[in-house]
Amino acid sequence: MVDTALMPIPGPVDPVPIARAVTPRGDGRTDLLGLPRETIRDLFAAAGLDPRQAKLRAKQVYHWIYHRGATDFAVMTDIAKSMRPWLAERFAIGRPEVIEAQHSIDGTRKWLLRTSDGHDFEMVFIPDADRGTLCVSSQVGCTLNCRFCHTGTMKLVRNLTAGEIVGQVMLARDALGEWPKGAMDVGDEADAASYTADGRLLTNIVMMGMGEPLYNFDNVKAALNIVMDGDGLALSKRRITLSTSGVVPMMARCGEEIGVNLAVSLHATNKQIRDEIVPLNRKYGIEELLEACAAYPGASNARRITFEYVMLKDKNDSDQHARELVELIRRYKLPAKVNLIPFNPWPGAGYDTSTPERVRRFSEIVFEAGISAPVRTPRGRDIDAACGQLKTAAEKKSRAQRDRDARAEVLAH
Ligand code: SAH
Ligand code: SF4
């Protein structure tokens, strides 16, 4: 058994460092990426525009940035020509830096990205017949150390800013060529409505990349607000799913304040096993977690909570475990579906993948109880793109990254 006794468990307010939301760049300009309309307005006012001008320009610039994907003030045709250089001197519209872009034979795409202060993180795009899902990261690394997760072994952790989170979605739209074309129509409802997910490759977002999104609540909320805003990226909250390992105190706020679909990384049906593989369970146990699920705002039979269950050989994959899972879902009367995820192995993980027969049998037992339990097929294996196991960023370390890790190691002692 893996010894987890000495592992620190972070509190509800995570102690990880956070970059400033409004970031002055090296060239003295301020990056607007990730900022809401009101902050853009305040920055414009502070730079000298009168309040009415600041408000109007903020509305126009917001639309250009998030709805049209503009990265240059020069294209903002409804802003006076003389004003555009004034904006460009003071402000910038950034994107996370792309370090590497990989394309799998099955269509899955993965990007290794870098923050302006040099931290690497990843995002993955998974196309399916009826949808295209972008798997977005919320932190560089993760403080939670789930035993089977490679992200949890990364030493360096910092929250991503709202700009770095929404920047992933924007970068994906850049890469897929999916920004709407045409004239500028600020406030035109019909225009906003026509940019639905239909006809687009990128239709869904899952907060299932690196990190625990509920430990970076404010930035995830700010980013998703822009993603869901009709004048922003205009993606429906029904097409966004946030996955948590079980940060119970933040779950109600997630439903109330963000309103997206919830996925919960359950992975075990009893305390002993969940304590081992998801150490946060020692802080927020299964009962508390499932009560919070039962109370999740917006959950219904039409909008089910997804329980993720990673299949670990001889650990959590027996018939008995499947029956216990059904029993738990029934006991708490949860509108639930189960996602069975074959464990994606990595060197030194200490677990094996359940056999396909075992996964099938487990799925059947849950399914026979009337609960949907699809097996998530691994995608992008040739480029190590499995959602939730974004490992290459940590493996292919640059020298600078190794130095940073070494420094973090020293600081930790
Ligand atoms: N921190 C959040 C979201 C990111 S992890 C959470 O834990 O829910 C996204 C999903 O991938 C989680 O369900 C996680 O348990 C799963 N996952 C992590 N490592 C994995 C691996 N090696 N194989 C299969 N699934 C894994
Ligand atoms: Fe963090 Fe989620 Fe990985 Fe656990 S599974 S270590 S919470 S990213």
Side-chain angles (χ1 to χ4, degrees):
M1 198 178 121
V2 182
D3 176 21
T4 54
L6 296 173
M7 200 148 48
I9 300 176
V13 177
D14 59 334
V16 306
I18 167 76
R20 276 191 290 172
V22 178
T23 340
R25 299 164 17 126
D27 61 11
R29 296 187 297 165
T30 302
D31 194 341
L32 299 180
L33 183 71
L35 302 182
R37 239 183 244 99
E38 302 69 41
T39 311
I40 298 177
R41 179 199 63 203
D42 294 348
L43 287 168
F44 286 0
L49 295 187
D50 70 52
R52 205 188 56 85
Q53 273 279 326
K55 192 171 173 204
L56 172 68
R57 297 305 174 206
K59 187 177 162 82
Q60 291 170 311
V61 168
Y62 180 94
H63 180 90
W64 277 106
I65 296 178
Y66 300 118
H67 202 73
R68 299 281 189 214
T71 50
D72 188 345
F73 295 100
V75 304
M76 302 186 182
T77 44
D78 60 340
I79 295 178
K81 246 197 174 125
S82 58
M83 172 122 217
R84 294 179 220 160
W86 183 90
L87 286 167
E89 265 169 40
R90 291 160 180 80
F91 303 100
I93 307 159
R95 288 286 189 270
E97 186 189 351
V98 178
I99 300 302
E100 202 182 318
Q102 285 175 280
H103 215 136
S104 160
I105 41 169
D106 69 11
T108 303
R109 296 169 73 159
K110 183 176 79 168
W111 292 267
L112 176 61
L113 308 175
R114 185 165 293 168
T115 65
S116 56
D117 56 345
H119 302 314
D120 292 353
F121 61 105
E122 296 193 352
M123 69 169 187
V124 177
F125 177 69
I126 307 152
D128 276 306
D130 60 340
R131 67 176 63 185
T133 306
L134 188 70
C135 181
V136 171
S137 292
S138 57
Q139 300 182 308
V140 179
C142 185
T143 51
L144 288 176
N145 307 101
C146 297
R147 279 305 191 207
F148 52 85
C149 174
H150 199 267
T151 303
T153 66
M154 290 177 67
K155 290 200 185 70
L156 205 80
V157 179
R158 101 149 158 72
N159 279 338
L160 291 174
T161 63
E164 288 156 353
I165 297 168
V166 76
Q168 294 172 61
V169 188
M170 301 184 66
L171 208 55
R173 275 217 175 146
D174 292 346
L176 298 167
E178 293 201 311
W179 291 107
K181 313 253 177 336
M184 171 79 179
D185 314 291
V186 175
D188 183 339
E189 289 304 317
D191 178 60
S194 66
Y195 299 134
T196 59
D198 301 335
R200 290 243 177 103
L201 283 171
L202 200 178
T203 60
N204 291 53
I205 291 179
V206 290
M207 296 300 304
M208 288 188 192
M210 289 176 168
E212 169 50 56
L214 294 188
Y215 268 2
N216 187 14
F217 186 83
D218 291 343
N219 291 334
V220 167
K221 177 181 163 182
L224 291 182
N225 274 339
I226 294 170
V227 171
M228 295 185 289
D229 183 3
D231 198 33
L233 285 112
L235 235 101
S236 158
K237 65 179 182 179
R238 292 178 186 276
R239 292 185 171 274
I240 303 174
T241 301
L242 183 148
S243 175
T244 180
S245 55
V247 183
V248 170
M250 300 306 288
M251 284 167 56
R253 281 189 67 193
C254 175
E256 278 154 19
E257 297 178 31
I258 312 180
V260 292
N261 303 320
L262 185 71
V264 171
S265 295
L266 191 61
H267 304 320
T269 54
N270 65 50
K271 177 168 168 54
Q272 194 213 341
I273 301 177
R274 196 160 193 271
D275 274 0
E276 177 194 327
I277 63 180
V278 184
L280 185 67
N281 194 64
R282 292 190 244 146
K283 200 170 183 80
Y284 309 116
I286 294 179
E287 291 74 22
E288 250 182 290
L289 175 60
L290 296 183
E291 275 163 21
C293 289
Y296 187 70
S300 67
N301 277 331
R303 267 189 102 190
R304 291 168 192 274
I305 293 174
T306 304
F307 287 99
E308 290 157 286
Y309 198 98
V310 62
M311 300 288 293
L312 304 169
K313 188 173 185 203
D314 299 333
K315 175 56 68 182
N316 64 354
D317 64 351
S318 70
D319 287 1
Q320 180 59 20
H321 292 135
R323 286 191 288 268
E324 285 170 8
L325 180 58
V326 169
E327 206 276 313
L328 281 176
I329 290 171
R330 285 194 176 144
R331 195 189 316 157
Y332 289 88
K333 300 191 174 56
L334 296 165
K337 54 188 175 194
V338 173
N339 247 346
L340 298 176
I341 318 170
F343 169 59
N344 199 2
W346 42 277
Y351 296 111
D352 285 326
T353 313
S354 304
T355 61
E357 296 72 42
R358 191 88 291 278
V359 178
R360 205 171 315 125
R361 184 67 201 122
F362 194 105
S363 167
E364 274 165 14
I365 293 173
V366 180
F367 185 76
E368 279 157 15
I371 301 162
S372 152
V375 180
R376 228 207 262 166
T377 30
R379 297 288 303 269
R381 278 264 162 114
D382 54 331
I383 56 168
D384 277 326
C387 220
Q389 203 229 344
L390 305 172
K391 63 180 203 171
T392 41
E395 273 178 5
K396 288 189 213 153
K397 279 181 191 162
S398 65
R399 211 189 134 157
Q401 180 71 46
R402 282 198 301 273
D403 288 347
R404 280 195 297 276
D405 283 358
R407 207 167 56 228
E409 180 107 291
V410 170
L411 289 174
H413 288 96

